[in-house]
Amino acid sequence: MNALAFGYIRRSSYKQQENNSVEIQKAHIQEFARRKGMEVPDDFIFIEDVTSAFSKRASKRKELMRLQQMMIETNIPRVIFYEESRMDRTGYTFVLDFYRPLIEKLPNIEVYTSNSEEPFNPDHPQTKIALLLYRQESEIKSERALGSLIADLENGDEIRPGSKVPYGYDQVNKKLIPNEKAEIVTFIYYLHSWGTSMGKIASLLNEAAIPSPQGKSWRSSSVENILKNPVYTGKLMWTVYKDSSKSKSYEFKDCHEPLIDHFFLHLNENNIKLQKEFGRLDTPFLFLNKLSCHLCHNKLQTQNGSTTRNGQKYFYQYYVCKSCNYKLDMNDVHEAILPRILKHVQELTCNESTKSDTFEFLNKLDNTIKENIINIEKRIDKLLAKGSIAKEQNDREFELVFHNVQSRLLNELKELLNSQHILAELYESVQSGMFFDRFKTILESQLGETEKRLTILYFVDKVLVSPNQPLQTLYRENAFESFQLHS
C-alpha cells in the first residue's frame, strides 16, 4: 500500500485564476508522488487561493497553517510542493513558521518539491540560495509593478490601473461598466441603510442562492468589503505604499457610473451614531432609551423575563422605571403608540410643507456653519501672526501653546467643512425626494423590527410615560436633527 502524503498548492494572483495554475501544480505533485510510491488523495491537497508568499508571511497563510495542523493530527509526515516558490518568497518565514515547529512534532518529516528528488533541507546552501533568489525575484517584480502603477495614476488619464475588478462591474478598456450584479450591490446598500446587519444581509443572499464575489457562500466580511469600497460611488481611491512608513494616496472622482448615491453613506454613518447613542437597532425593545418617566425624568430600562415551560416559550418583556418602581408591558407600549407614530410619519412625509420646513432647517444650519468657518479662519490668521512674534522672540512655551490651539482650530475647521459637504448632499436628497420617499415606500410595506426602530429614532424625540397617565409622544423638530452635524 502506498504511503499517504499531503499536497500544497498556492495560486498567487487573480490572473492565475484565469490559467491552469492549480491543475498544473496538482498534476506535478501527483506524478511525483507516484514515482516515489506515495499517494496524494484529492482531499489531502490544500489550495491557498490568491495569496502572495512575498507580502504575506507563512504564519498568515490560512491553508498552510491548516495543513501544518492536519499533519500533526494525522501523524502523516509527508507533504509535496510544486516548487520552492510555492513555499515561500520572503526567504525565511516558511522555515520559521511552518518547517521548524512541525519538525518538533514530527521528527521524521519529509517535505518534497516536485522538481527535486531529495527532501527539502533548509540548511542546505542550495536551498538557501533558491529561497533568496525567489525573494529577490519578487522584490524586482514588486518594484516594477509599483512603478507601473504610479505611472498610470500620475499620467492624468482617467483610466483604471490593473487590479481586481470590483463586484458589480465589468472592465472595458480600463473603464468600469455596471453588469447584471450591480443590482445586488444596490440591494446590499439599501438593506444596510435600514439597519440590517451584515450577517443578516449575508444570510438573505445565501437563502436566495446568490453566489458571493468568490462564487461561494456570503459571509459578513464579504458584505462589509462591498459596503466599505468607495468605488460604488463612482470614486477610485488608491494608496501606494513605498515602504512601511511612506504612502501616497490618489483619489479620482466621477471616473465611472456609480451604483449608489453618496446619501446612502451618510445614512449608514448616521445609523451607526444612532446605535451608539440609543443602543441596538435589531432589538425587540423598539423604544429602547426613548422612554422617559414623567415623574422622575429618568430613562426607562428594559427587562427580559422570558422563559420556557414544557417546551413552550413565554415572553415577558417590560420597560421599567427603577426609581419610581413600576413597569410597563413592552407589547402594550408598542400597541398604544407605534401605530400613531407611523401614521404621523406617513402624513409628515406626504405633506409638501415638510419639505419647505426641512429646507429652512438646513439653510439655518448652513448659515451657522458658514459663520463659524469665517470666525475660525480669522482666529487662525491671528494665531499665525502671534505665533510668528513668539518665534521671533524665541519664546518656545508660547510657540507651543499657539501651535496646539492652531491644531485644534484646524481640526474644527475640517469638521465644519465636512459638515458643509454633507449638508449639501442632504439638501439634494430632500430636493430629489429621495429622503422622504424612503419612508413613504417603507411604510406601505410590512415593517421589520430595525425599520420600525430607525423610523422612531429619526422622528421621535422621546416618549413621556407614567403608570397612571396616557403615553405622550414628543417628536423631533426635524428628522435631520439626528445627523448631529458639527455647526
Side-chain angles (χ1 to χ4, degrees):
M1 183 177 175
N2 290 340
L4 287 173
F6 289 98
Y8 176 86
I9 293 170
R10 184 179 63 80
R11 185 160 48 184
S12 58
S13 68
Y14 287 100
K15 285 184 179 179
Q16 287 186 345
Q17 285 185 323
E18 298 169 4
N19 58 31
N20 298 320
S21 173
V22 168
E23 289 73 17
I24 291 170
Q25 292 181 56
K26 182 178 178 182
H28 279 269
I29 288 169
Q30 291 185 329
E31 173 59 29
F32 179 87
R34 280 192 289 272
R35 290 203 318 267
K36 288 289 187 180
M38 293 185 283
E39 182 183 355
V40 183
D42 284 348
D43 55 353
F44 272 43
I45 295 177
F46 289 73
I47 301 174
E48 197 92 58
D49 205 14
V50 192
T51 303
S52 167
F54 176 63
S55 60
K56 192 174 277 192
R57 66 176 296 150
S59 62
K60 300 298 181 183
R61 287 189 263 155
K62 292 181 181 178
E63 290 303 301
L64 186 64
M65 292 297 99
R66 200 164 70 86
L67 166 63
Q68 184 188 68
Q69 188 61 35
M70 188 64 71
M71 291 177 71
I72 294 169
E73 288 176 4
T74 59
N75 202 33
I76 296 173
R78 292 166 292 278
V79 59
I80 305 168
F81 294 78
Y82 172 52
E83 60 181 13
E84 286 91 343
S85 70
R86 301 300 93 191
M87 294 176 174
D88 197 9
R89 280 185 176 272
T90 66
Y92 63 95
T93 64
F94 176 82
V95 175
L96 287 180
D97 300 342
F98 180 85
Y99 188 85
R100 298 289 187 208
L102 200 53
I103 203 169
E104 291 180 8
K105 304 285 185 179
L106 301 172
N108 56 336
I109 184 174
E110 298 173 29
V111 176
Y112 294 96
T113 58
S114 63
N115 58 3
S116 173
E117 295 299 317
E118 298 298 320
F120 174 80
N121 179 4
D123 297 319
H124 194 285
Q126 190 173 344
T127 302
K128 291 179 179 179
I129 291 170
L131 291 175
L132 287 172
L133 285 174
Y134 283 124
R135 175 182 175 84
Q136 186 182 36
E137 180 188 33
S138 291
E139 286 175 344
I140 293 169
K141 285 181 178 178
S142 175
E143 194 65 33
R144 191 181 299 151
L146 195 62
S148 175
L149 175 62
I150 292 172
D152 281 347
L153 291 170
E154 293 184 347
N155 69 4
D157 296 332
E158 289 190 356
I159 59 170
R160 185 173 181 272
S163 71
K164 184 188 176 186
V165 178
Y167 182 80
Y169 285 105
D170 289 326
Q171 184 164 277
V172 180
N173 297 326
K174 291 196 173 184
K175 288 278 188 180
L176 294 178
I177 309 295
N179 60 24
E180 70 282 355
K181 295 171 184 172
E183 291 183 355
I184 298 168
V185 174
T186 56
F187 182 60
I188 287 171
Y189 273 89
Y190 179 78
L191 288 176
H192 196 56
S193 74
W194 279 109
T196 309
S197 69
M198 296 175 196
K200 178 64 175 174
I201 293 172
S203 298
L204 290 170
L205 293 171
N206 288 331
E207 286 172 18
I210 297 171
S212 73
Q214 293 77 30
K216 302 175 183 178
S217 296
W218 287 85
R219 297 182 179 181
S220 57
S221 58
S222 315
V223 175
E224 184 180 13
N225 288 337
I226 286 175
L227 290 170
K228 287 186 173 181
N229 195 338
V231 74
Y232 297 114
T233 62
K235 184 190 298 183
L236 288 177
M237 292 185 69
W238 302 83
T239 301
V240 180
Y241 294 92
K242 294 186 177 180
D243 55 49
S244 58
S245 61
K246 292 181 181 179
S247 66
K248 187 173 182 180
S249 295
Y250 299 84
E251 181 176 315
F252 306 96
K253 295 180 179 179
D254 304 321
C255 290
H256 53 269
E257 183 182 339
L259 301 187
I260 59 109
D261 193 279
H262 275 91
F263 179 59
F264 279 96
L265 303 184
H266 302 318
L267 283 173
N268 290 337
E269 287 174 8
N270 192 53
N271 292 347
I272 292 169
K273 289 181 191 174
L274 289 172
Q275 184 161 263
K276 284 180 180 177
E277 184 178 358
F278 295 102
R280 287 171 46 200
L281 300 179
D282 60 341
T283 173
F285 294 97
L286 300 178
F287 291 89
L288 173 65
N289 290 319
K290 278 289 181 180
L291 300 182
S292 292
C293 179
H294 217 145
L295 304 175
C296 68
H297 308 295
N298 288 332
K299 285 184 180 178
L300 271 69
Q301 298 181 29
T302 58
Q303 184 182 91
N304 194 337
S306 302
T307 186
T308 302
R309 292 196 299 270
N310 300 323
Q312 180 70 34
K313 186 81 173 177
Y314 295 89
F315 294 94
Y316 302 102
Q317 295 166 308
Y318 303 97
Y319 294 106
V320 181
C321 179
K322 294 198 172 180
S323 300
C324 301
N325 197 27
Y326 69 87
K327 62 184 179 181
L328 304 172
D329 183 88
M330 182 191 76
N331 292 324
D332 290 345
V333 171
H334 294 180
E335 289 171 10
I337 57 174
L338 186 58
R340 294 207 307 266
I341 290 170
L342 297 180
K343 184 180 179 183
H344 169 83
V345 172
Q346 195 160 35
E347 291 172 351
L348 202 65
T349 55
C350 293
N351 193 331
E352 195 60 33
S353 66
T354 303
K355 195 172 180 179
S356 58
D357 290 344
T358 304
F359 283 144
E360 186 179 348
F361 173 84
L362 294 176
N363 284 332
K364 284 181 181 177
L365 194 56
D366 186 43
N367 289 333
T368 305
I369 289 174
K370 285 176 180 175
E371 287 175 11
N372 285 336
I373 287 173
I374 293 170
N375 289 335
I376 286 179
E377 285 175 343
K378 287 179 180 177
R379 291 172 67 189
I380 289 173
D381 288 341
K382 289 179 181 178
L383 277 170
L384 286 172
K386 291 180 179 179
S388 298
I389 294 170
K391 190 172 184 178
E392 287 172 6
Q393 296 178 352
N394 202 24
D395 191 333
R396 291 293 300 152
E397 187 176 346
F398 274 109
E399 199 178 336
L400 185 61
V401 170
F402 287 131
H403 177 74
N404 290 336
V405 175
Q406 184 185 350
S407 296
R408 179 174 58 80
L409 289 174
L410 286 172
N411 285 331
E412 286 187 22
L413 182 61
K414 184 179 177 182
E415 288 181 6
L416 285 167
L417 292 170
N418 184 54
S419 292
Q420 194 175 42
H421 174 69
I422 294 172
L423 199 63
E425 293 184 338
L426 295 183
Y427 192 97
E428 177 59 32
S429 74
V430 177
Q431 181 70 48
S432 65
M434 188 184 298
F435 179 73
F436 289 115
D437 283 352
R438 277 172 56 79
F439 293 95
K440 278 189 212 173
T441 304
I442 205 77
L443 290 170
E444 292 170 0
S445 311
Q446 186 173 354
L447 299 183
E449 298 300 285
T450 57
E451 293 158 349
K452 293 175 186 174
R453 174 106 171 111
L454 272 176
T455 302
I456 291 165
L457 295 179
Y458 270 84
F459 290 93
V460 175
D461 183 35
K462 62 183 173 181
V463 179
L464 298 177
V465 302
S466 70
N468 305 315
Q469 295 180 15
L471 303 174
Q472 183 182 355
T473 305
L474 304 179
Y475 294 99
R476 288 185 184 273
E477 180 186 341
N478 193 285
F480 284 115
E481 284 180 33
S482 66
F483 279 80
Q484 300 173 342
L485 293 168
H486 187 87
S487 61

